[in-house]
Structures are given as C-alpha cells and as structure tokens.
Amino acid sequence: MKRLILFKALLGLILGLVLPEHLLASEEKILLADCRQRPPEMIVNEKAMRCSGPLLDIFDEVAKKVGFTVKWRIAPFRRSIQELEMGTVDIISRVILTEKRKAFTAYLGPIGYQKKDIIFLVREGQENLINTYDDLKKLRVGVKTGTAYFKQFNEDTTIEKDFQTDDNNMVKMFAANRFDTMIVLDLPATEKALRDIGFYDYDYANYRYVQKIGNYYGMSKKSKHIDVYSDLNSGILDLVESGKVKEIYMKYSVLPPLTD
C-alpha cells in the first residue's frame, strides 16, 4: 500500500514537471505567413531558403506584440492566394485589395501607398506599339496568372492574353517572342528577372496606366487566429503613425511607402 502511494506521488511529481512544458509547446502561438521575391521589400535568399526585407520585419514586430511568432514560407503568389482562401496559410505580405479577394481576405493596414504605374514591356525601339489602351486589343499580351492589374484590363475579354506562372517564365517567353508585350505591375522584380536571363533588348511602351496602390497584408478569414485580426491591424497602424514603418524601411535603404 505504501509503495502504491509512493508510486502515485512520484507519478504526480513527474507529470507536474513535464506536462506543463509539453502543453506550452503544443499551444505555442504561430502565424503561418508567405513571402516571395519582391525586391526591395522582400528578398529571397535561394541558398539559405529564407526571406528578408522590411515587410517581414514589420509584421514580425506586430505579431510579437500580440504574443505570436511568425513562421515564414517562400511560396509563389498564386499558391499563397489559393491557400489563403482555404485557410491553410494565415498571412500573405503585400496583397492588392480587390473585391474578389475581399470575400476571403481580411486586409491589414495599409502601411502606406505606392504609385504603381502599370507599364507594358516591348522590344527596344517599339515604344509606339502601344500609345492607347485600345492598342492592346491588336496584340498578344503576356500576363502573370493571379495578378490584379487594373479593373478594365482584368475584366477585358477582347484582349488576347498569354498566362504565365511567374516573372521568370514571363521574361523567358517574351525573349522567345511568345507574345508582343507583357504587362508589368512590379518593375523591380521584372527587371531583375530580365537581368537574370541576360536579356536587355527591351523598353517600355508609351501607354501606361497610372494608379495608387495600398500596401496591405492579407489575413485569411478562415485562419484559426482570426480573433486577433483587430489587434494585428491596430498594431500595424500604430507602427505607421509612430514612424516605425519608415524607420524599418530606411534600415534596408529602401524608400518607405507614401502615407499622405
């Protein structure tokens, strides 16, 4: 009987020492977030298989303030959007606000705005190929799947569009004369992809679509952590107001987004 009592006491002591730590590990608050190659705000180190940049630092800081750790994953944007809709990823950095995406995305921010002209890549010397929007209807246009450009273009079924999965495929197909022009939302990313394949026989058409885009994070409405959405959003806006967003951008020698 005494041995039984002693055994139970020892068992209770062991559980008391071990179980809380185990439970703590299983209940660790983690947000699954996706990043991708979008210089200079997100840079992928392919050798180390990790992302860095101001957009990651900003969200890491906000998440920490509400008791979360961020687990970053490198993923193509199309996959990220699909998983955001399913709820298998919690956060995507830099998501353009559209009516379609609002159905499954809770937008965080914005941390500011960018003047993002939509431009069209053409062969060098062919700048006059596109002088007006209607000129696009005479051409085959390279388009990146899943990218929101601008409403008129996105919904226009009279333009012949050749869909590609990412910037690398886009520039390779353009260099191979697969299409006449390619639409460009993210100029730094496109120009890097062009340099990577050593292609310089290009310029930009006279026509461009001028717009101002909010720089948002997207949170899945199906995220199991959606209850902290308001705290995350308030934290992001506080960093904007305090000037911390600007400070983080300047640490990377990158111009911060506009806030006016």
Short mmCIF file of all heavy atoms in Angstrom, two decimals, residues 70-130:
data_model
loop_
_atom_site.label_atom_id
_atom_site.label_comp_id
_atom_site.label_asym_id
_atom_site.label_seq_id
_atom_site.Cartn_x
_atom_site.Cartn_y
_atom_site.Cartn_z
N VAL A 70 6.03 34.35 -35.98
CA VAL A 70 5.71 34.19 -37.40
C VAL A 70 6.63 33.14 -38.02
O VAL A 70 7.84 33.21 -37.88
CB VAL A 70 5.85 35.52 -38.17
CG1 VAL A 70 5.39 35.33 -39.62
CG2 VAL A 70 5.04 36.62 -37.50
N LYS A 71 6.03 32.18 -38.68
CA LYS A 71 6.79 31.17 -39.42
C LYS A 71 6.65 31.48 -40.90
O LYS A 71 5.57 31.32 -41.49
CB LYS A 71 6.26 29.76 -39.11
CG LYS A 71 7.06 28.65 -39.77
CD LYS A 71 6.55 27.28 -39.35
CE LYS A 71 7.37 26.17 -40.00
NZ LYS A 71 6.87 24.83 -39.61
N TRP A 72 7.74 31.96 -41.50
CA TRP A 72 7.70 32.39 -42.89
C TRP A 72 7.99 31.24 -43.85
O TRP A 72 8.84 30.39 -43.59
CB TRP A 72 8.73 33.50 -43.13
CG TRP A 72 8.39 34.78 -42.42
CD1 TRP A 72 8.89 35.23 -41.24
CD2 TRP A 72 7.46 35.77 -42.86
NE1 TRP A 72 8.33 36.43 -40.91
CE2 TRP A 72 7.45 36.80 -41.88
CE3 TRP A 72 6.64 35.89 -43.98
CZ2 TRP A 72 6.65 37.92 -42.00
CZ3 TRP A 72 5.84 37.01 -44.11
CH2 TRP A 72 5.85 38.02 -43.12
N ARG A 73 7.28 31.25 -44.97
CA ARG A 73 7.47 30.24 -46.01
C ARG A 73 7.60 30.94 -47.35
O ARG A 73 6.87 31.90 -47.63
CB ARG A 73 6.26 29.30 -46.05
CG ARG A 73 6.34 28.24 -47.14
CD ARG A 73 5.05 27.43 -47.26
NE ARG A 73 3.96 28.22 -47.81
CZ ARG A 73 2.78 27.71 -48.19
NH1 ARG A 73 2.56 26.42 -48.04
NH2 ARG A 73 1.84 28.48 -48.69
N ILE A 74 8.51 30.49 -48.18
CA ILE A 74 8.64 31.03 -49.53
C ILE A 74 7.67 30.29 -50.44
O ILE A 74 7.69 29.06 -50.51
CB ILE A 74 10.08 30.86 -50.05
CG1 ILE A 74 11.07 31.58 -49.13
CG2 ILE A 74 10.20 31.39 -51.48
CD1 ILE A 74 12.52 31.21 -49.39
N ALA A 75 6.80 31.04 -51.12
CA ALA A 75 5.80 30.40 -51.98
C ALA A 75 5.41 31.35 -53.11
O ALA A 75 5.39 32.57 -52.92
CB ALA A 75 4.56 30.03 -51.18
N PRO A 76 5.12 30.82 -54.31
CA PRO A 76 4.63 31.68 -55.40
C PRO A 76 3.27 32.27 -55.02
O PRO A 76 2.49 31.65 -54.29
CB PRO A 76 4.51 30.72 -56.59
CG PRO A 76 4.42 29.36 -55.98
CD PRO A 76 5.19 29.41 -54.71
N PHE A 77 3.02 33.47 -55.51
CA PHE A 77 1.83 34.20 -55.09
C PHE A 77 0.53 33.44 -55.39
O PHE A 77 -0.40 33.45 -54.59
CB PHE A 77 1.79 35.58 -55.76
CG PHE A 77 0.67 36.44 -55.27
CD1 PHE A 77 0.68 36.96 -53.99
CD2 PHE A 77 -0.41 36.74 -56.10
CE1 PHE A 77 -0.34 37.77 -53.53
CE2 PHE A 77 -1.44 37.54 -55.64
CZ PHE A 77 -1.42 38.05 -54.36
N ARG A 78 0.49 32.80 -56.52
CA ARG A 78 -0.74 32.07 -56.89
C ARG A 78 -1.08 31.00 -55.84
O ARG A 78 -2.23 30.85 -55.43
CB ARG A 78 -0.57 31.42 -58.27
CG ARG A 78 -1.83 30.76 -58.78
CD ARG A 78 -1.59 30.12 -60.13
NE ARG A 78 -2.79 29.50 -60.67
CZ ARG A 78 -2.82 28.74 -61.75
NH1 ARG A 78 -1.72 28.52 -62.43
NH2 ARG A 78 -3.94 28.21 -62.17
N ARG A 79 -0.06 30.27 -55.41
CA ARG A 79 -0.27 29.25 -54.38
C ARG A 79 -0.69 29.90 -53.06
O ARG A 79 -1.57 29.40 -52.36
CB ARG A 79 1.02 28.45 -54.19
CG ARG A 79 0.96 27.43 -53.05
CD ARG A 79 2.30 26.72 -52.90
NE ARG A 79 2.35 25.87 -51.74
CZ ARG A 79 3.45 25.26 -51.32
NH1 ARG A 79 4.58 25.40 -51.99
NH2 ARG A 79 3.43 24.51 -50.23
N SER A 80 -0.05 31.02 -52.73
CA SER A 80 -0.37 31.71 -51.48
C SER A 80 -1.83 32.14 -51.44
O SER A 80 -2.52 31.97 -50.43
CB SER A 80 0.54 32.93 -51.30
OG SER A 80 1.88 32.54 -51.14
N ILE A 81 -2.30 32.72 -52.54
CA ILE A 81 -3.69 33.18 -52.60
C ILE A 81 -4.66 32.01 -52.46
O ILE A 81 -5.68 32.10 -51.75
CB ILE A 81 -3.94 33.94 -53.92
CG1 ILE A 81 -3.40 35.37 -53.81
CG2 ILE A 81 -5.42 33.99 -54.27
CD1 ILE A 81 -4.20 36.28 -52.88
N GLN A 82 -4.34 30.90 -53.11
CA GLN A 82 -5.21 29.72 -53.01
C GLN A 82 -5.28 29.21 -51.57
O GLN A 82 -6.36 28.88 -51.07
CB GLN A 82 -4.68 28.61 -53.94
CG GLN A 82 -4.86 28.90 -55.41
CD GLN A 82 -4.17 27.88 -56.31
OE1 GLN A 82 -3.27 27.15 -55.87
NE2 GLN A 82 -4.58 27.83 -57.57
N GLU A 83 -4.13 29.19 -50.90
CA GLU A 83 -4.10 28.69 -49.53
C GLU A 83 -4.70 29.69 -48.55
O GLU A 83 -5.25 29.31 -47.51
CB GLU A 83 -2.67 28.31 -49.13
CG GLU A 83 -2.14 27.13 -49.93
CD GLU A 83 -1.03 26.39 -49.22
OE1 GLU A 83 -0.94 26.47 -47.98
OE2 GLU A 83 -0.23 25.73 -49.92
N LEU A 84 -4.60 30.98 -48.87
CA LEU A 84 -5.25 31.99 -48.04
C LEU A 84 -6.77 31.79 -48.09
O LEU A 84 -7.46 31.89 -47.08
CB LEU A 84 -4.90 33.40 -48.53
CG LEU A 84 -5.20 34.54 -47.55
CD1 LEU A 84 -4.16 34.58 -46.45
CD2 LEU A 84 -5.23 35.89 -48.27
N GLU A 85 -7.28 31.49 -49.27
CA GLU A 85 -8.71 31.24 -49.42
C GLU A 85 -9.15 29.99 -48.66
O GLU A 85 -10.23 29.96 -48.06
CB GLU A 85 -9.07 31.11 -50.91
CG GLU A 85 -10.55 31.01 -51.17
CD GLU A 85 -10.90 31.11 -52.65
OE1 GLU A 85 -9.99 31.14 -53.49
OE2 GLU A 85 -12.11 31.16 -52.96
N MET A 86 -8.28 28.96 -48.66
CA MET A 86 -8.60 27.72 -47.96
C MET A 86 -8.38 27.83 -46.45
O MET A 86 -8.96 27.07 -45.68
CB MET A 86 -7.76 26.57 -48.51
CG MET A 86 -8.09 26.19 -49.94
SD MET A 86 -7.17 24.71 -50.49
CE MET A 86 -5.49 25.30 -50.48
N GLY A 87 -7.54 28.77 -46.05
CA GLY A 87 -7.24 28.93 -44.63
C GLY A 87 -6.05 28.12 -44.16
O GLY A 87 -5.81 28.01 -42.96
N THR A 88 -5.26 27.56 -45.10
CA THR A 88 -4.09 26.77 -44.71
C THR A 88 -2.85 27.64 -44.53
O THR A 88 -1.80 27.15 -44.10
CB THR A 88 -3.81 25.66 -45.74
OG1 THR A 88 -3.77 26.25 -47.05
CG2 THR A 88 -4.90 24.60 -45.69
N VAL A 89 -2.93 28.91 -44.88
CA VAL A 89 -1.91 29.90 -44.56
C VAL A 89 -2.63 31.08 -43.92
O VAL A 89 -3.76 31.40 -44.31
CB VAL A 89 -1.09 30.31 -45.80
CG1 VAL A 89 -1.94 31.09 -46.79
CG2 VAL A 89 0.13 31.14 -45.40
N ASP A 90 -2.01 31.70 -42.93
CA ASP A 90 -2.68 32.78 -42.19
C ASP A 90 -2.49 34.15 -42.83
O ASP A 90 -3.42 34.94 -42.89
CB ASP A 90 -2.14 32.84 -40.74
CG ASP A 90 -2.38 31.56 -39.98
OD1 ASP A 90 -3.55 31.14 -39.91
OD2 ASP A 90 -1.41 30.98 -39.45
N ILE A 91 -1.26 34.41 -43.31
CA ILE A 91 -0.88 35.76 -43.73
C ILE A 91 -0.13 35.73 -45.06
O ILE A 91 0.70 34.85 -45.29
CB ILE A 91 0.03 36.42 -42.67
CG1 ILE A 91 -0.66 36.51 -41.31
CG2 ILE A 91 0.49 37.81 -43.13
CD1 ILE A 91 -1.81 37.48 -41.23
N ILE A 92 -0.41 36.73 -45.91
CA ILE A 92 0.42 36.99 -47.09
C ILE A 92 0.85 38.45 -47.03
O ILE A 92 0.05 39.34 -46.75
CB ILE A 92 -0.33 36.76 -48.41
CG1 ILE A 92 -0.91 35.35 -48.48
CG2 ILE A 92 0.61 36.98 -49.59
CD1 ILE A 92 -1.67 35.09 -49.77
N SER A 93 2.11 38.68 -47.32
CA SER A 93 2.62 40.06 -47.39
C SER A 93 2.30 40.68 -48.74
O SER A 93 2.40 40.01 -49.77
CB SER A 93 4.14 40.08 -47.19
OG SER A 93 4.48 39.63 -45.91
N ARG A 94 1.95 41.94 -48.71
CA ARG A 94 1.71 42.76 -49.90
C ARG A 94 0.66 42.15 -50.84
O ARG A 94 0.98 41.51 -51.84
CB ARG A 94 2.99 43.03 -50.67
CG ARG A 94 3.05 44.48 -51.16
CD ARG A 94 4.26 44.76 -51.97
NE ARG A 94 4.23 44.14 -53.28
CZ ARG A 94 5.13 44.36 -54.21
NH1 ARG A 94 6.15 45.15 -53.98
NH2 ARG A 94 5.03 43.77 -55.38
N VAL A 95 -0.57 42.36 -50.48
CA VAL A 95 -1.69 41.85 -51.26
C VAL A 95 -2.54 43.03 -51.73
O VAL A 95 -2.96 43.86 -50.93
CB VAL A 95 -2.59 40.91 -50.42
CG1 VAL A 95 -3.71 40.34 -51.27
CG2 VAL A 95 -1.75 39.79 -49.82
N ILE A 96 -2.77 43.12 -53.03
CA ILE A 96 -3.60 44.20 -53.57
C ILE A 96 -5.05 43.94 -53.22
O ILE A 96 -5.55 42.82 -53.36
CB ILE A 96 -3.42 44.32 -55.09
CG1 ILE A 96 -1.99 44.77 -55.41
CG2 ILE A 96 -4.41 45.31 -55.69
CD1 ILE A 96 -1.67 44.80 -56.88
N LEU A 97 -5.72 44.97 -52.77
CA LEU A 97 -7.13 44.86 -52.39
C LEU A 97 -8.01 44.83 -53.63
O LEU A 97 -7.98 45.75 -54.45
CB LEU A 97 -7.51 46.05 -51.49
CG LEU A 97 -8.85 45.98 -50.75
CD1 LEU A 97 -8.80 46.85 -49.49
CD2 LEU A 97 -10.01 46.42 -51.63
N THR A 98 -8.78 43.76 -53.79
CA THR A 98 -9.77 43.65 -54.85
C THR A 98 -11.08 43.15 -54.26
O THR A 98 -11.09 42.53 -53.19
CB THR A 98 -9.32 42.67 -55.96
OG1 THR A 98 -9.31 41.34 -55.44
CG2 THR A 98 -7.95 43.02 -56.50
N GLU A 99 -12.17 43.39 -54.95
CA GLU A 99 -13.48 42.95 -54.46
C GLU A 99 -13.54 41.43 -54.37
O GLU A 99 -14.10 40.87 -53.42
CB GLU A 99 -14.59 43.46 -55.39
CG GLU A 99 -14.85 44.95 -55.29
CD GLU A 99 -15.23 45.37 -53.88
OE1 GLU A 99 -16.08 44.69 -53.25
OE2 GLU A 99 -14.70 46.38 -53.40
N LYS A 100 -12.95 40.75 -55.33
CA LYS A 100 -12.95 39.28 -55.32
C LYS A 100 -12.22 38.73 -54.10
O LYS A 100 -12.69 37.81 -53.42
CB LYS A 100 -12.31 38.75 -56.61
CG LYS A 100 -12.30 37.23 -56.71
CD LYS A 100 -11.66 36.78 -58.02
CE LYS A 100 -11.62 35.25 -58.11
NZ LYS A 100 -10.99 34.80 -59.38
N ARG A 101 -11.07 39.31 -53.79
CA ARG A 101 -10.26 38.81 -52.67
C ARG A 101 -10.88 39.18 -51.32
O ARG A 101 -10.63 38.50 -50.32
CB ARG A 101 -8.84 39.36 -52.76
CG ARG A 101 -8.06 38.80 -53.93
CD ARG A 101 -6.70 39.46 -54.08
NE ARG A 101 -5.99 38.98 -55.26
CZ ARG A 101 -4.90 39.53 -55.75
NH1 ARG A 101 -4.38 40.61 -55.16
NH2 ARG A 101 -4.31 39.04 -56.82
N LYS A 102 -11.67 40.24 -51.28
CA LYS A 102 -12.29 40.63 -50.01
C LYS A 102 -13.21 39.55 -49.47
O LYS A 102 -13.51 39.52 -48.27
CB LYS A 102 -13.08 41.94 -50.20
CG LYS A 102 -12.18 43.18 -50.18
CD LYS A 102 -12.91 44.42 -50.64
CE LYS A 102 -13.99 44.84 -49.69
NZ LYS A 102 -14.61 46.13 -50.11
N ALA A 103 -13.65 38.65 -50.32
CA ALA A 103 -14.55 37.57 -49.88
C ALA A 103 -13.85 36.62 -48.90
O ALA A 103 -14.50 36.04 -48.04
CB ALA A 103 -15.06 36.79 -51.10
N PHE A 104 -12.53 36.47 -49.03
CA PHE A 104 -11.82 35.54 -48.16
C PHE A 104 -10.61 36.16 -47.45
O PHE A 104 -9.89 35.47 -46.72
CB PHE A 104 -11.35 34.30 -48.96
CG PHE A 104 -10.48 34.61 -50.16
CD1 PHE A 104 -9.12 34.74 -50.04
CD2 PHE A 104 -11.06 34.75 -51.42
CE1 PHE A 104 -8.32 35.01 -51.14
CE2 PHE A 104 -10.28 35.02 -52.54
CZ PHE A 104 -8.90 35.15 -52.40
N THR A 105 -10.39 37.45 -47.66
CA THR A 105 -9.22 38.13 -47.10
C THR A 105 -9.62 39.25 -46.15
O THR A 105 -10.42 40.11 -46.51
CB THR A 105 -8.33 38.71 -48.21
OG1 THR A 105 -8.00 37.69 -49.14
CG2 THR A 105 -7.07 39.32 -47.64
N ALA A 106 -9.06 39.23 -44.95
CA ALA A 106 -9.19 40.35 -44.01
C ALA A 106 -7.92 41.18 -44.17
O ALA A 106 -6.82 40.73 -43.84
CB ALA A 106 -9.33 39.83 -42.58
N TYR A 107 -8.07 42.39 -44.69
CA TYR A 107 -6.90 43.21 -45.01
C TYR A 107 -6.36 43.92 -43.78
O TYR A 107 -7.11 44.51 -43.00
CB TYR A 107 -7.26 44.22 -46.10
CG TYR A 107 -7.35 43.60 -47.47
CD1 TYR A 107 -8.55 43.08 -47.94
CD2 TYR A 107 -6.23 43.49 -48.28
CE1 TYR A 107 -8.63 42.48 -49.19
CE2 TYR A 107 -6.30 42.89 -49.53
CZ TYR A 107 -7.50 42.40 -49.98
OH TYR A 107 -7.57 41.81 -51.21
N LEU A 108 -5.04 43.87 -43.62
CA LEU A 108 -4.34 44.52 -42.52
C LEU A 108 -3.57 45.72 -43.05
O LEU A 108 -2.75 45.61 -43.95
CB LEU A 108 -3.36 43.54 -41.87
CG LEU A 108 -3.96 42.31 -41.19
CD1 LEU A 108 -2.91 41.22 -41.04
CD2 LEU A 108 -4.53 42.68 -39.83
N GLY A 109 -3.84 46.89 -42.49
CA GLY A 109 -3.16 48.10 -42.93
C GLY A 109 -4.09 49.05 -43.65
O GLY A 109 -5.28 49.11 -43.32
N PRO A 110 -3.55 49.79 -44.61
CA PRO A 110 -2.24 49.61 -45.23
C PRO A 110 -1.11 50.28 -44.44
O PRO A 110 -1.37 51.14 -43.60
CB PRO A 110 -2.40 50.30 -46.58
CG PRO A 110 -3.37 51.43 -46.30
CD PRO A 110 -4.31 50.87 -45.27
N ILE A 111 0.13 49.88 -44.75
CA ILE A 111 1.27 50.55 -44.14
C ILE A 111 1.63 51.79 -44.95
O ILE A 111 2.52 52.55 -44.57
CB ILE A 111 2.49 49.62 -44.05
CG1 ILE A 111 2.94 49.14 -45.44
CG2 ILE A 111 2.20 48.43 -43.15
CD1 ILE A 111 4.27 48.40 -45.44
N GLY A 112 0.94 52.01 -46.05
CA GLY A 112 1.17 53.17 -46.89
C GLY A 112 0.68 52.88 -48.30
O GLY A 112 -0.02 51.89 -48.54
N TYR A 113 1.06 53.76 -49.21
CA TYR A 113 0.63 53.63 -50.60
C TYR A 113 1.82 53.77 -51.53
O TYR A 113 2.82 54.41 -51.20
CB TYR A 113 -0.39 54.72 -50.95
CG TYR A 113 -1.65 54.65 -50.11
CD1 TYR A 113 -1.73 55.31 -48.88
CD2 TYR A 113 -2.74 53.92 -50.54
CE1 TYR A 113 -2.88 55.22 -48.10
CE2 TYR A 113 -3.89 53.84 -49.77
CZ TYR A 113 -3.94 54.49 -48.55
OH TYR A 113 -5.08 54.39 -47.78
N GLN A 114 1.71 53.14 -52.68
CA GLN A 114 2.74 53.25 -53.70
C GLN A 114 2.12 53.70 -55.01
O GLN A 114 1.02 53.27 -55.36
CB GLN A 114 3.43 51.89 -53.90
CG GLN A 114 4.22 51.42 -52.69
CD GLN A 114 4.71 49.99 -52.85
OE1 GLN A 114 4.00 49.13 -53.34
NE2 GLN A 114 5.94 49.74 -52.44
N LYS A 115 2.80 54.61 -55.68
CA LYS A 115 2.39 54.99 -57.02
C LYS A 115 2.92 53.92 -57.96
O LYS A 115 4.11 53.87 -58.25
CB LYS A 115 2.93 56.37 -57.39
CG LYS A 115 2.27 57.51 -56.62
CD LYS A 115 2.80 58.87 -57.05
CE LYS A 115 2.07 59.98 -56.30
NZ LYS A 115 2.60 61.32 -56.66
N LYS A 116 2.02 53.04 -58.36
CA LYS A 116 2.41 51.87 -59.15
C LYS A 116 1.81 51.97 -60.54
O LYS A 116 0.67 51.55 -60.78
CB LYS A 116 1.92 50.59 -58.47
CG LYS A 116 2.79 50.13 -57.33
CD LYS A 116 3.99 49.36 -57.86
CE LYS A 116 4.78 48.74 -56.72
NZ LYS A 116 5.95 48.01 -57.21
N ASP A 117 2.54 52.56 -61.46
CA ASP A 117 2.06 52.61 -62.84
C ASP A 117 2.13 51.20 -63.43
O ASP A 117 3.12 50.48 -63.25
CB ASP A 117 2.92 53.54 -63.68
CG ASP A 117 2.74 55.00 -63.29
OD1 ASP A 117 1.93 55.27 -62.37
OD2 ASP A 117 3.42 55.85 -63.87
N ILE A 118 1.07 50.82 -64.12
CA ILE A 118 1.08 49.57 -64.88
C ILE A 118 1.71 49.90 -66.23
O ILE A 118 1.22 50.76 -66.97
CB ILE A 118 -0.35 49.03 -65.09
CG1 ILE A 118 -1.05 48.81 -63.75
CG2 ILE A 118 -0.30 47.74 -65.90
CD1 ILE A 118 -0.44 47.75 -62.88
N ILE A 119 2.81 49.23 -66.53
CA ILE A 119 3.51 49.53 -67.77
C ILE A 119 3.58 48.28 -68.64
O ILE A 119 3.30 47.17 -68.19
CB ILE A 119 4.92 50.10 -67.50
CG1 ILE A 119 5.72 49.16 -66.61
CG2 ILE A 119 4.83 51.46 -66.85
CD1 ILE A 119 7.08 49.69 -66.24
N PHE A 120 3.98 48.48 -69.89
CA PHE A 120 3.99 47.38 -70.86
C PHE A 120 5.38 47.26 -71.50
O PHE A 120 5.89 48.21 -72.09
CB PHE A 120 2.91 47.59 -71.92
CG PHE A 120 1.52 47.49 -71.36
CD1 PHE A 120 0.92 48.61 -70.80
CD2 PHE A 120 0.84 46.29 -71.35
CE1 PHE A 120 -0.36 48.52 -70.25
CE2 PHE A 120 -0.43 46.19 -70.80
CZ PHE A 120 -1.04 47.30 -70.25
N LEU A 121 5.96 46.09 -71.33
CA LEU A 121 7.29 45.80 -71.86
C LEU A 121 7.19 45.52 -73.36
O LEU A 121 6.35 44.71 -73.78
CB LEU A 121 7.87 44.59 -71.14
CG LEU A 121 9.35 44.28 -71.35
CD1 LEU A 121 10.20 45.22 -70.50
CD2 LEU A 121 9.65 42.83 -70.97
N VAL A 122 8.03 46.17 -74.14
CA VAL A 122 8.08 45.94 -75.59
C VAL A 122 9.55 45.81 -76.01
O VAL A 122 10.45 46.09 -75.22
CB VAL A 122 7.40 47.08 -76.38
CG1 VAL A 122 5.91 47.12 -76.12
CG2 VAL A 122 8.04 48.44 -76.04
N ARG A 123 9.77 45.41 -77.24
CA ARG A 123 11.13 45.38 -77.77
C ARG A 123 11.67 46.81 -77.87
O ARG A 123 10.93 47.76 -78.09
CB ARG A 123 11.15 44.73 -79.15
CG ARG A 123 11.01 43.22 -79.15
CD ARG A 123 12.31 42.59 -78.66
NE ARG A 123 12.42 41.17 -78.96
CZ ARG A 123 11.78 40.20 -78.32
NH1 ARG A 123 10.93 40.51 -77.37
NH2 ARG A 123 11.98 38.94 -78.63
N GLU A 124 12.98 46.93 -77.70
CA GLU A 124 13.61 48.25 -77.81
C GLU A 124 13.32 48.85 -79.19
O GLU A 124 13.43 48.17 -80.22
CB GLU A 124 15.13 48.12 -77.61
CG GLU A 124 15.83 49.45 -77.48
CD GLU A 124 17.29 49.30 -77.09
OE1 GLU A 124 17.79 48.16 -77.08
OE2 GLU A 124 17.92 50.33 -76.78
N GLY A 125 12.89 50.10 -79.20
CA GLY A 125 12.54 50.79 -80.44
C GLY A 125 11.07 50.68 -80.81
O GLY A 125 10.63 51.29 -81.80
N GLN A 126 10.28 49.90 -80.02
CA GLN A 126 8.86 49.70 -80.31
C GLN A 126 7.95 50.43 -79.31
O GLN A 126 6.83 50.01 -79.08
CB GLN A 126 8.53 48.21 -80.32
CG GLN A 126 9.19 47.44 -81.45
CD GLN A 126 8.72 45.99 -81.51
OE1 GLN A 126 8.06 45.49 -80.62
NE2 GLN A 126 9.07 45.32 -82.61
N GLU A 127 8.44 51.52 -78.75
CA GLU A 127 7.66 52.26 -77.75
C GLU A 127 6.31 52.72 -78.29
O GLU A 127 5.33 52.83 -77.55
CB GLU A 127 8.47 53.48 -77.24
CG GLU A 127 9.75 53.12 -76.53
CD GLU A 127 10.93 52.93 -77.49
OE1 GLU A 127 10.72 52.88 -78.71
OE2 GLU A 127 12.06 52.84 -76.99
N ASN A 128 6.25 52.99 -79.60
CA ASN A 128 5.00 53.45 -80.22
C ASN A 128 4.02 52.33 -80.52
O ASN A 128 2.93 52.58 -81.05
CB ASN A 128 5.30 54.20 -81.52
CG ASN A 128 5.95 55.55 -81.26
OD1 ASN A 128 5.60 56.24 -80.31
ND2 ASN A 128 6.91 55.93 -82.09
N LEU A 129 4.39 51.10 -80.18
CA LEU A 129 3.50 49.97 -80.43
C LEU A 129 2.21 50.10 -79.63
O LEU A 129 1.13 49.69 -80.08
CB LEU A 129 4.21 48.66 -80.05
CG LEU A 129 3.53 47.34 -80.45
CD1 LEU A 129 3.46 47.21 -81.96
CD2 LEU A 129 4.29 46.16 -79.85
N ILE A 130 2.30 50.71 -78.44
CA ILE A 130 1.13 50.89 -77.57
C ILE A 130 1.09 52.35 -77.11
O ILE A 130 1.85 52.76 -76.22
CB ILE A 130 1.18 49.96 -76.34
CG1 ILE A 130 1.53 48.53 -76.75
CG2 ILE A 130 -0.17 49.98 -75.60
CD1 ILE A 130 1.86 47.62 -75.58
#
